[in-house]
Amino acid sequence: MLRELMLVLHDEAVGTRTNTPTPAPADDPILRLQEELQPHDGEFRVQCTTHPGELTITGIIQMCPACGARRDWLLICDGNQVSIRCRCTHQWVERELGRADFEAMADPGGEVYDSLQTTIQAAGYSGDLAGAYWT
């Protein structure tokens, strides 16, 4: 009463098990970075605006955890993710803000720069003006 079990693998079955799915371009961080580094084509992928005063989110005044600054921010919007950057170069993602909040704070128009790094330097958020406040 001993039965033998024979497993038959067809070439098609083996092929589907060894082929890994290719990630979509939006899922691959390297492809996304290459896409972001392409020259400006008329569509803004990353937008920035300055916010000179205090920034209150859900009733709490934002404060830089690195230097204690309470005003003079650079807001960076990438898709629906908004980051806050201080003049001391500390930057964090603010999960309470979305694209609609960013657009409500941003002025229309403005300069167009080749990269986010160029924007950060031109706006004075590269660390050179850390601790400086304009009145």
Side-chain angles (χ1 to χ4, degrees):
M1 295 272 184
L2 189 61
R3 293 187 182 183
E4 290 184 20
L5 177 63
M6 186 182 341
L7 182 59
V8 178
L9 295 176
H10 298 285
D11 291 337
E12 295 171 2
V14 172
T16 57
R17 290 182 186 174
T18 58
N19 293 341
T20 57
T22 56
D27 297 337
D28 188 356
I30 294 175
L31 290 177
R32 183 171 180 226
L33 179 62
Q34 288 173 342
E35 198 175 284
E36 288 174 359
L37 293 176
Q38 294 299 317
H40 178 67
D41 60 355
E43 182 181 327
F44 298 106
R45 290 186 178 88
V46 178
Q47 293 178 294
C48 300
T49 189
T50 56
H51 188 80
E54 290 182 340
L55 183 61
T56 305
I57 302 172
T58 64
I60 300 170
I61 296 174
Q62 297 301 298
M63 191 166 89
C64 177
C67 72
R70 296 174 58 148
R71 60 188 176 112
D72 202 14
W73 308 107
L74 179 67
L75 302 175
I76 303 165
C77 184
D78 182 8
N80 199 34
Q81 178 176 298
V82 177
S83 298
I84 301 173
R85 185 178 179 100
C86 180
R87 287 206 185 267
C88 75
T89 72
H90 184 72
Q91 180 175 327
W92 67 95
V93 174
E94 182 52 61
R95 306 225 182 269
E96 295 292 326
L97 296 178
R99 176 166 285 285
D101 300 310
F102 174 83
E103 289 175 353
M105 290 185 271
D107 294 329
E111 297 289 325
V112 176
Y113 295 97
D114 294 334
S115 69
L116 179 58
Q117 189 60 35
T118 307
T119 304
I120 288 170
Q121 289 176 344
Y125 288 86
S126 60
D128 297 335
L129 298 174
Y133 290 100
W134 315 116
T135 56

